[in-house]
Every structure is written in structure tokens, then in C-alpha cells.
Amino acid sequence: MSGIHHVTAITRKVQANVDFYAGFLGLRLVKRTGGFEDAEQLHLFYGDAAGSPGSLVTFLAWEDGAPGRVGHGQVAEIALAVPRDAIGTWLTRALEAGLPVEGPSREFGEPVLRLKDPDRIIVKLVGSDAPATAPLSDPAAPTRLRAVTLLSEAPEASGAFLGRFGYREVAREGGARRWASARDAVDIRDASGFVPGIPGTGIIDHVAFRAEDADALRRMRIALKDHEDATAVHDRKYFLSLYVRDPAGILIEHATDGPGMAVDEDMDHLGETLFVPEGDAARAGDLRVMLPQIALPGEERIVMRDLPFTHRFHRPDRPNGHVILTLHGTGGNETDLFPLAARIDPEATLLGLRGRSTEEGVTRFFRRLDMTRFDQDDIRSEAAAFDAFLDQARAAYGIDAGAITVLGYSNGANFAAAVAGLHPAAIRRAILLRPLMPLEELPQADLSGLKLLTVAGSEDPYGRLAPRLNDWAEASGAALEAHILPTGHDLTQGDLDLARQWLSHAHPQGVTE
């Protein structure tokens, strides 16, 4: 058994990724799951009609994540086989879709079109007679993986390492050497002197080669016993695998063909259900709220807009018209509070924002000078941006201002308090957990249109600062309900209970059992 099993890359815009691979290329989405290393990352698998090994291209979704850099020590290109007589068809399709395309040219005697996906990953369509294991309905559709391109500072050593997986050198062309198995090829380019690759979005993480079964995989692990970076065998549910880096640092996986994509879904319904790894079953409900929602071609979707804040929606099966807008704490992201928000109102549409300031690499909504002193100019600037975001979001997504409840925690709650003071019309209803007022000069504001719940912790070191916010909000006319729980800075069941009870009065249609 030899050949490529799958290729895995990282995308920063998962819906655009679906539109390209399932839409334009017409591959079948055969699996959607939480990542096995990090269940809070969506992992999508595309392939032929059955999700056969050798046809699979998979993506981890790092929504709006930092881009990586292509360089040596990486897989640089993916090549998909298409019927030879379909090259003209694909050239026409690319032009009609407005996709930049190079070619056709010839590489190793085969016609090649060179495209870039939405993350600018190079995807080559190669005219080939290689048949599909499970053909897709479109006669021009990709049939299987044809090749990958590796950038190596040690091409001789990288090539020799491929011999472990059934590859041998068969040709040289320009700066590339082709190593072939019985099914496909690996092209190695000498990248000596080129910049090293940097992980991130828009980068191919690894290539996986096929192992016939678990015994073959274990034999490979024994053969790699002297490689310090070779991992133990992992159970990835759809296959068993191990990882190792080649002499140039390129990450390689070795994966069994079975049990396959149909182990948890009928073949006719592959890719329809979102799964989470068995080890994360206890928080499956939370993960299904936090993982990005996608729409296949032709399905209803929320068209995301380019607005001042990175943001994410979660739409429940039966939305009730209520929108909970979440503002995370220090180091969080736009989905951190989605599980809590979904428990407060399971049928609310969730809209999460990501703070734009950073502190030692972690996200915040505004900078701080020390633990209790904050950058006043940054607060005012970001509050103005948030006010603009709300105006644009209401127009772009058709959201009624009266339907929004802001849910903020810690830094996000502090930010919401500042916004309420600086832009009194922006927020009409808010739940602020572990809040304080970060503005040094309390604004003169009319908060008569604001319904506000604040929840402090009696053991929270910041709890002593909450009364200043409460006194100001009440004096400014807000309808305030303030509570202190016997806890620290972390959130508890008591926060959920108070939020649900308060919302049932502040916005009765916004609480559903």
C-alpha cells in the first residue's frame, strides 16, 4: 500500500473555503468535526463521492486567524487529478468565476492549470487518466489527489525519506524532482536559501501517506523508533495515524485506510452532521455552538460583512428574534461566551465580537496601563468603533436595535460599561459579569433607555470596584439590578441563573426553555 492518504491545510475564512472546494471544484464535503487536537477548531474533509483515501483534502478552520508564510519545511502545493479532456472546461470555469488562473502549462508531461484558493494556497488541476475510486457526478470533477509539492532545504534527504512510504525518484524537471508511488507523486523543490515556513492560515500543515492497516502502521512506528519526533499511534476515529518530520522538518502523517468516513454516517449522508471527538463528548453542546456554521452551495446562509470588528454568528434551528451580542474577557475570542449565551436563551441568535487590542499577545477590547488603570484614549477610540459597528451590523444583517442584549464578561463587560457612557443610545439592554467602570472621568449620560444587570463576585479582587459603576449607572437613570455572588472572578451557575431570571423580565420574549 502506498500513495497519498490526505492533505491538511488551514483556512481563515471557512465559508469561502466551502464555496471553493465544495462549490467551484465540486468535491464532496464528507465530514465535519471538531479537531482531534483542539475540538474548538472545525475540521472539514473534502473528497470523492465516498471520501476515499487518496482523494481527501482537509482543512482546519482558524477563523480570521493570523496568516502563515510559505517557505522551506512545508508542503507548498496541492495537485488534483482531473480528466485530461476536462482541462479546457476548467479553464473556462475559472475565467467565468473570476478566478485568476495560470496555464495550461505542462509539468512532468501532464497539462496543468494553476489556481489559488481563497487562502491563496496553490491548487493545481492536472490532466490525468487516473480514475476515481468513487466518482463524483460531474464528469469533469477531480478524481483524486495527483501530487503534492514539498519545499526542502535537504532535497536528497527528503527524497530518501519518502522511500519509507513507497516512493522512488522517477524524473527531474527544472528545480523539481518527482518521486512516484503506484498511484500518485511527490515533487520536491530545492528551497535552500529560501525563507523558512511559518505556521498559520493559508498554509498546508501536512501530507499523509497511506498505511494498509493497523499492523502496517505499527511496523512503521517501529521503523521510526530512532526519530525523536515520531509520535505514538493516534486514533482519529476515521483512521489510525502517527506523525513524523522528515529531515527537512516537513510534517508527515502515516494513516490507515480504515475504518473510513462512513463509520459514523450513512454513505448517502456523509458530511451532514457535525461531530465532536469522543474525548470532548461532555461539552459537545458547547462545541456545536462555538464551531463555525457553514452553508453548502445552495443552502441558506448569513452573508458576512467586512465590519470594524471580527465577528461570528451562531443561528439556532428556530431563532426567536432575540440577539445576544457577546464581549469576551481578556485573552478570549468571539465565541468564548457562546455556550453561556446559548444557555441563557437557547433560541437566540448569537453575535460574538473579538477585541481589537492586544496585551502580550492576548486579545482585549482596550489596552490597560496596569491592573486597574486603563488607556483612556484607546477606550474612547474603540467605543466609537463599536458604536459604528452596531450601526453597520444592524443595517447589514437586518437586526432590530431593540432585539439586542449585550453579554459582557470581565474586560468585555468593562468595555460595554464604557460604551454605555460614551454612546448612551448604543446599548439598550446589558448583562455585565464581573464588571467595573474603566473610564477615569464618569460621563454625564442619560441612561434612562438602558436596562442593566451587573453581577460581581465577593471574592473577586476587582469586585470592590463594581459599586462605582453601579452608583454611576443608577444615578444616570439606568434600570439597574445589581448582585454579588459568593465567588471570585470566574463564572458560575449563579451567573446563569441570575441572567436568565433577569432577562425573563427585561426581555420576556428573549428567554425560551
Side-chain angles (χ1 to χ4, degrees), residues 91-358:
L91 177 59
T92 300
R93 289 179 181 180
L95 294 173
E96 289 177 344
L99 294 174
V101 57
E102 296 179 15
S105 59
R106 297 192 74 80
E107 295 182 11
F108 294 101
E110 297 173 316
V112 174
L113 292 178
R114 185 181 294 263
L115 305 170
K116 289 185 178 179
D117 77 0
D119 290 289
R120 301 190 64 76
I121 293 172
I122 295 174
V123 178
K124 298 189 294 189
L125 301 181
V126 180
S128 170
D129 295 326
T133 302
L136 296 160
S137 58
D138 178 2
T143 57
R144 61 168 71 170
L145 284 159
R146 176 67 187 99
V148 294
T149 301
L150 310 183
L151 298 182
S152 174
E153 277 198 310
E156 295 282 357
S158 290
F161 195 75
L162 288 176
R164 296 176 178 271
F165 304 99
Y167 286 81
R168 62 184 182 86
E169 186 174 358
V170 296
R172 299 189 181 192
E173 186 175 279
R177 303 180 183 187
R178 169 153 286 192
W179 293 69
S181 71
R183 286 180 53 88
D184 48 45
V186 177
D187 299 330
I188 302 177
R189 292 191 177 276
D190 186 346
S192 300
F194 193 47
V195 296
I198 297 177
T201 60
I203 295 300
I204 301 171
D205 185 70
H206 65 269
V207 58
F209 297 115
R210 297 172 69 178
E212 183 172 7
D213 53 28
D215 287 340
L217 188 68
R218 294 187 180 100
R219 288 195 297 272
M220 179 63 74
R221 181 63 186 90
I222 293 171
L224 293 171
K225 66 181 185 303
D226 295 330
H227 288 256
E228 294 181 359
D229 54 5
T231 70
V233 173
H234 297 283
D235 185 350
R236 299 309 196 197
K237 187 177 183 180
Y238 311 109
F239 46 83
L240 302 175
S241 73
L242 60 81
Y243 297 85
V244 66
R245 291 193 181 273
D246 88 338
I250 299 166
L251 185 60
I252 290 172
E253 187 177 7
H254 197 39
T256 60
D257 275 9
M261 296 294 119
V263 69
D264 53 10
E265 286 179 293
D266 292 336
M267 191 64 69
D268 290 342
H269 298 283
L270 290 179
E272 294 180 6
T273 301
L274 173 61
F275 294 96
V276 300
E278 291 182 4
D280 294 281
R283 59 182 188 132
D286 290 349
L287 290 170
R288 291 191 176 102
V289 173
M290 297 174 74
L291 291 169
Q293 292 179 311
I294 60 171
L296 292 173
E299 293 181 344
E300 183 183 0
R301 65 180 63 186
I302 297 176
V303 179
M304 300 301 292
R305 309 296 185 181
D306 186 12
L307 299 180
F309 285 83
T310 296
H311 56 287
R312 175 92 62 84
F313 276 99
H314 175 82
R315 178 182 286 172
D317 292 335
R318 295 179 298 276
N320 60 11
H322 182 214
V323 177
I324 300 181
L325 187 156
T326 65
L327 303 173
H328 61 77
T330 297
N333 63 40
E334 59 272 28
T335 64
D336 269 12
L337 293 178
F338 275 13
L340 175 61
R343 289 188 176 96
I344 292 172
D345 183 1
E347 294 182 3
T349 296
L350 309 182
L351 170 57
L353 272 61
R354 184 191 303 177
R356 306 193 307 177
S357 294
T358 58

